[in-house]
Each structure stands twice: as structure tokens, then as C-alpha cells.
Amino acid sequence: MRSKIVAGNWKMNKNSEETEDLINELIDKLPTDGNTKIIIAPTFINLASAVDHTEFTNIRVAAQNMHQAENGAYTGEISADMLKSIGVNTVILGHSERRSIFHETDAVISFKVDTALKHDMTVIFCFGEELKDRQNKQHFNIVENQLRDGLFHIDKSAWANIILAYEPVWAIGTGETASPEQAQEMHEFIRETVRKVFGSDIAEDVSILYGGSVKPDNAAAIFSKPDIDGGLIGGAALKADDFVAIVNGI
Ligand code: 13P
């Protein structure tokens, strides 16, 4: 069944003490009775302590990235096995900042997806068009290509471990959000694209999150749309009150 999910991508923010403080505040303030799945993604260095702190809560911890290789001479990188060994079972892959700043291609991202699935991890697969793509009316093509090239090689059985996150690049960290109608239009297209390749059961079951300047004052309108199953939150995930308000908006 399709889940409601709100995930916080903390990016390169919060040192060890700040991570602990924010998690404690979230534990105090987040609802404990809802059906919404809550995920936080602190930096690599704080993942182990985040797993410890959230052990008896409904908060799950994700990594923001990982390397595709099992192990070896990849200075500065982190493997799936390392994440699993500290209790991290979810990973964000294909984030637009990984694509644009760190030059990750669809091919690299597809290897990462394979490695994560091989380790039975859940993948939050990110994709989305740039402003110029939308201006050129290429946004549907771009999104379809990112899905096909990065993700659609997987087995039908792997979809239980996939969460999709549509993040239009022009809305990330800019304060400019897609309107609920623009987001719904794209989410409907994404679900149809999944349906064409993998069938209705998978298309109906997969959660599709929206990311890009989701804030307490726009979350409820975005989440009210039928194909939007939650959000991947950047800046507003760094303040407990804002993140909690977004969770309550679902
Ligand atoms: P903002 O919410 O800061 O726009 O970031 C979105 C994002 O990139 C989440 O992965």
C-alpha cells in the first residue's frame, strides 16, 4: 500500500551536538500516532548517533548518498555495507546536488540503485528538471529519461524498496515552489510512466514525494493533491517546529 512519507534531507548542516538537539526536539514534538512515515537524513558522520537516538521512536534514519562499489580504494566514500552495519537501511540517491555539483550521471546513479537494492535498502530516488527544461517545455521528457536511465532497469519485485522524489531543480532552496497544480501534473505523469512500464499495482503502490521549498505555509496545499504522497524537505527540515508543521500538514 502507498505510504504517506515526510523526509528531511539535512544536507551538509548540523554538527554532532546540533544533530542531537534537533533529534531530541523532533522526538518531543512529532506526532507519535499518525500513519505518516518520518525519515531524517543527517550527514554521514552523525548517522550512527542518529540511529541510536531514534531507536525507540517512529523516526527512521537515511543516508544522503553512498558509493556504488562494495568496498575498495575509493577515498572518502561510504558503502552500503557500512550504512547497514550501523542500522541505516534507507538511502537518498540521485539528488540534484549530487548530479550537478558532484557530476553523478544517470549511469552512476543506476549502479548505486543496484547496490542499494542488493543490500535490501530502501532507495529514495530523486529526479527533476532544471528551469531551462521547463521553459523549453522539455520537463516531461527529462523526467521520463531520468526514470528510465536511472531506475527502470530494476526488477518488479524491487519496487517495494523504492520511494520516488520529484524535485524540480528550480524549486530547490530558491523559495520558489512548484504550485500544487504543477506538482500534481508532474506526479500524475510520473505515476503513468511507472504504470506503462511496470503495471498498475506498482504505480498505485509507489509513494511519490515532492521536494523543493516545501514550508509550513504551503505543505498542506501540496500534500492535498492525489498523487503527492508526501515531501522531501530541505531547509525547513532544519527547524523542528517547521518540520513538525509540515508533517502535520499531510
Ligand atoms: P529545500 O526544501 O531547501 O528547497 O530543499 C529541497 C531538497 O533538496 C530536499 O532534498
Side-chain angles (χ1 to χ4, degrees):
M1 224 195 62
R2 209 191 289 182
S3 306
K4 297 278 183 200
I5 300 168
V6 178
N9 175 8
W10 293 10
K11 308 190 180 184
M12 198 175 75
N13 293 294
K14 305 286 179 191
N15 65 24
S16 175
E17 199 181 326
E18 291 162 346
T19 297
E20 202 169 314
D21 289 348
L22 180 51
I23 289 174
N24 284 337
E25 220 182 324
L26 290 174
I27 291 171
D28 278 351
K29 295 180 175 174
L30 277 168
T32 49
D33 50 353
N35 291 326
T36 305
K37 292 189 178 165
I38 295 159
I39 300 172
I40 57 170
T43 57
F44 280 131
I45 198 168
N46 293 312
L47 286 175
S49 71
V51 169
D52 284 349
H53 274 88
T54 54
E55 190 179 352
F56 299 109
T57 74
N58 60 343
I59 303 171
R60 291 290 148 262
V61 175
Q64 299 173 18
N65 180 35
M66 55 164 238
H67 197 270
Q68 63 272 27
E70 292 297 332
N71 53 43
Y74 301 101
T75 301
E77 292 291 332
I78 302 283
S79 73
D81 178 57
M82 291 169 193
L83 294 174
K84 293 273 309 222
S85 72
I86 57 162
V88 173
N89 299 311
T90 304
V91 61
I92 298 172
L93 294 178
H95 192 278
S96 74
E97 286 145 21
R98 298 298 317 170
R99 293 175 188 262
S100 65
I101 304 170
F102 302 101
H103 311 294
E104 287 190 15
T105 61
D106 289 321
V108 166
I109 295 161
S110 81
F111 281 129
K112 293 188 177 200
V113 167
D114 287 339
T115 304
L117 292 176
K118 188 173 152 208
H119 286 266
D120 201 26
M121 297 180 78
T122 294
V123 173
I124 302 176
F125 182 86
C126 302
F127 55 98
E129 83 282 358
E130 294 177 32
L131 183 58
K132 66 173 174 19
D133 304 322
R134 189 164 274 265
Q135 286 167 339
N136 294 333
K137 304 203 179 343
Q138 290 302 308
H139 43 300
F140 292 113
N141 287 341
I142 294 287
V143 159
E144 189 171 355
N145 289 342
Q146 287 173 331
L147 286 168
R148 283 182 192 277
D149 295 346
L151 188 67
F152 277 9
H153 61 286
I154 65 172
D155 279 350
K156 262 187 157 182
S157 61
W159 277 89
N161 282 4
I162 300 290
I163 299 165
L164 299 179
Y166 168 60
E167 298 204 299
V169 177
W170 49 273
I172 295 179
T174 58
E176 185 174 348
T177 172
S179 69
E181 291 71 29
Q182 281 175 318
Q184 165 59 24
E185 181 188 36
M186 182 58 89
H187 281 228
E188 193 178 343
F189 171 78
I190 293 162
R191 206 176 295 286
E192 279 312 306
T193 306
V194 174
R195 193 186 315 275
K196 275 188 210 149
V197 181
F198 292 95
S200 276
D201 288 354
I202 286 171
E204 286 306 317
D205 277 359
V206 67
S207 295
I208 310 178
L209 314 185
Y210 169 80
S213 298
V214 178
K215 307 285 179 212
D217 61 358
N218 60 22
I222 293 170
F223 296 159
S224 71
K225 296 295 179 190
D227 287 297
I228 301 179
D229 305 307
L232 181 54
I233 319 301
L238 300 173
K239 290 195 192 125
D241 288 337
D242 285 359
F243 190 69
V244 170
I246 290 168
V247 170
N248 288 332
I250 211 161

